[in-house]
């Protein structure tokens, strides 16, 4: 018998899974330590079209249903009570159309935000939160831990600085409780119509630090760069494999006649670009390796002059920077890595 959504989320949490995948006509699966497995090895019930429609009717609001109909997918957050213990379970949900009907990808969100030390963030990344303004980009494939890295940075700021933090997310993932900082969280679709609209409004809302969940269009990139140039610390993400690709990706959103201007703005405003990948960790769990680009006169000049392809050679063990290979080698030396399969 097909389990309810709350039951499936509870089972995934019980087994320490990071994701749930529900595909019409197939057995529900989960991702645990980077690998796909059946959600319940004792249950071979397939996920039906009726079940998918019921979930859509139950958890999507009007805006999200319109997005699903018009664009073929929708993002939202969903919260439920565990059926096994007194625990609230939060998920980030993407529902999308495919050849079989509707499918769902749910990311389980840890209620406790790990510290930067627990995530083994290099000291040069930890130092970035001391900056008062500029752009910090965290990049990597889907499921590589970008949101958790940024959450650990924001929570450290929250614990140490008397400032205003504003987040614009699609959907809201980690919930923050204001501590030393005042934190305002906005969700695209619920509280603003887009990242760019949220950013435009943010400049009138007196923030010191702004989290932009993702830079996914030219207008959002322009607004993020403008906010970083005008005295705000802006943290955001991209979906690229490494530092150089992240710079190229930002340029590709703009026509050729505008790319030089965007390169200049990026060179003037960036403080750090971090690429990360997840690997299986000795003793269980996962550990991230980091490629790190920091603001120096040399890196500013390479970006400004359109020579981002030279950055990888320059990053090697210099001024707190490192390449991905160097980070992996260091994790091996410290006996953190179980093996070198990149996890999603």
């Amino acid at each position: 018998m097909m389990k309810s959504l709350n039951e499936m989320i509870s089972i995934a949490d019980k087994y320490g899974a990071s994701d749930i995948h529900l595909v019409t006509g197939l057995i529900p699966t989960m991702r645990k330590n980077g690998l796909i497995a059946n959600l319940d090895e004792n249950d071979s019930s397939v996920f039906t079209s009726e079940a998918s429609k019921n979930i859509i009717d139950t958890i999507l609001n009007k805006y999200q249903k319109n997005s699903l109909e018009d664009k073929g997918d929708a993002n939202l957050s969903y919260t439920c009570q565990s059926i096994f213990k007194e625990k609230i379970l939060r998920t980030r949900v993407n529902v999308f159309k495919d050849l079989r009907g509707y499918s769902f990808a749910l990311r389980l969100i840890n209620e406790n935000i790990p510290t930067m030390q627990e995530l083994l963030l290099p000291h040069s990344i930890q130092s970035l939160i001391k900056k008062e303004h500029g752009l910090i980009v965290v990049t990597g494939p889907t499921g590589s831990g970008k949101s958790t890295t940024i959450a650990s940075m924001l929570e450290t700021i929250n614990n140490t600085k008397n400032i205003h933090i504003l987040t614009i997310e699609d959907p809201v993932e980690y919930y923050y409780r204001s501590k030393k900082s005042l934190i305002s969280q906005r969700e695209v679709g619920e509280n603003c119509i887009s990242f760019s609209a949220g950013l435009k409004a943010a400049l009138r809302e007196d923030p010191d630090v702004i989290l932009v969940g993702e830079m996914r269009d030219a207008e959002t990139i322009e607004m993020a760069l403008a906010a970083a140039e005008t005295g705000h610390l802006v943290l955001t993400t991209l979906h690229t494999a490494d530092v150089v690709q992240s710079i190229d990706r930002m340029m590709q959103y703009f026509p050729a006649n505008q790319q030089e201007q965007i390169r200049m703005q990026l060179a003037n405003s960036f403080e750090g670009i971090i690429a990360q990948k997840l690997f299986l960790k000795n003793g269980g769990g996962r550990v991230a390796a980091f490629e790190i680009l920091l603001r120096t006169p040399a890196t500013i000049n390479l970006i400004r002059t359109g020579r981002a392809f030279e950055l990888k050679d320059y990053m090697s063990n210099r001024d707190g920077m490192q390449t991905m290979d160097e980070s992996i080698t260091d994790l091996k030396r410290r006996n953190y890595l179980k093996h070198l399969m990149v996890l999603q």
Side-chain angles (χ1 to χ4, degrees), residues 96-202:
F96 57 96
K97 295 179 183 178
D98 64 14
L99 294 176
R100 296 174 179 270
Y102 292 106
S103 294
F104 299 78
L106 297 91
R107 168 67 49 80
L108 277 75
I109 300 171
N110 191 337
E111 187 177 8
N112 298 316
I113 301 173
T115 67
M116 295 192 293
Q117 292 75 24
E118 289 170 338
L119 294 178
L120 303 179
L121 297 191
H123 179 71
S124 56
I125 295 179
Q126 296 187 39
S127 296
L128 287 174
I129 64 168
K130 298 176 182 177
K131 305 294 183 181
E132 294 186 356
H133 57 81
L135 180 70
I136 300 171
V137 180
V138 180
T139 188
T142 300
S144 60
K146 301 182 295 293
S147 296
T148 302
T149 293
I150 287 182
S152 73
M153 298 169 77
L154 285 183
E155 185 66 351
T156 302
I157 295 173
N158 184 25
N159 284 321
T160 57
K161 295 185 178 181
N162 298 91
I163 60 172
H164 181 202
I165 300 171
L166 175 67
T167 80
I168 307 163
E169 303 170 76
D170 183 20
V172 167
E173 294 192 37
Y174 288 96
Y175 283 141
Y176 300 92
R177 287 192 283 273
S178 295
K179 296 175 183 174
K180 277 201 169 184
S181 296
L182 169 67
I183 301 186
S184 308
Q185 293 186 260
R186 305 190 73 194
E187 182 164 297
V188 173
E190 287 284 339
N191 312 124
C192 55
I193 61 172
S194 65
F195 281 120
S196 56
L199 259 173
K200 187 174 183 180

Side-chain angles (χ1 to χ4, degrees), residues 15-59:
Y15 287 108
S18 60
D19 301 83
I20 302 170
H21 293 278
L22 306 176
V23 180
T24 300
L26 298 180
I27 297 172
T29 59
M30 63 181 173
R31 185 183 293 277
K32 182 179 178 182
N33 290 332
L35 302 177
I36 295 293
N38 285 349
L39 183 68
D40 185 344
E41 59 183 17
N42 298 316
D43 187 351
S44 58
S45 302
V46 301
F47 185 65
T48 65
S49 58
E50 291 77 16
S52 71
K53 291 174 183 176
N54 181 59
I55 292 174
I56 289 170
D57 289 340
T58 302
I59 72 172

Side-chain angles (χ1 to χ4, degrees), residues 200-262:
K200 187 174 183 180
L203 300 183
R204 300 188 295 271
E205 292 160 1
D206 190 35
D208 301 285
V209 175
I210 305 171
L211 164 62
V212 184
E214 184 184 349
M215 293 195 297
R216 57 174 69 152
D217 56 60
E219 189 175 7
T220 301
I221 294 171
E222 280 190 288
M223 291 297 301
L225 290 171
E229 285 183 308
T230 54
H232 306 85
L233 184 63
V234 180
L235 292 83
T236 189
T237 70
L238 279 172
H239 290 284
T240 55
D242 58 37
V243 165
V244 173
Q245 280 189 27
S246 67
I247 296 171
D248 292 340
R249 176 67 57 83
M250 282 186 269
M251 298 305 111
Q252 289 167 9
Y253 280 108
F254 297 89
N257 62 358
Q258 197 178 350
Q259 289 182 6
E260 183 176 356
Q261 172 201 334
I262 298 301

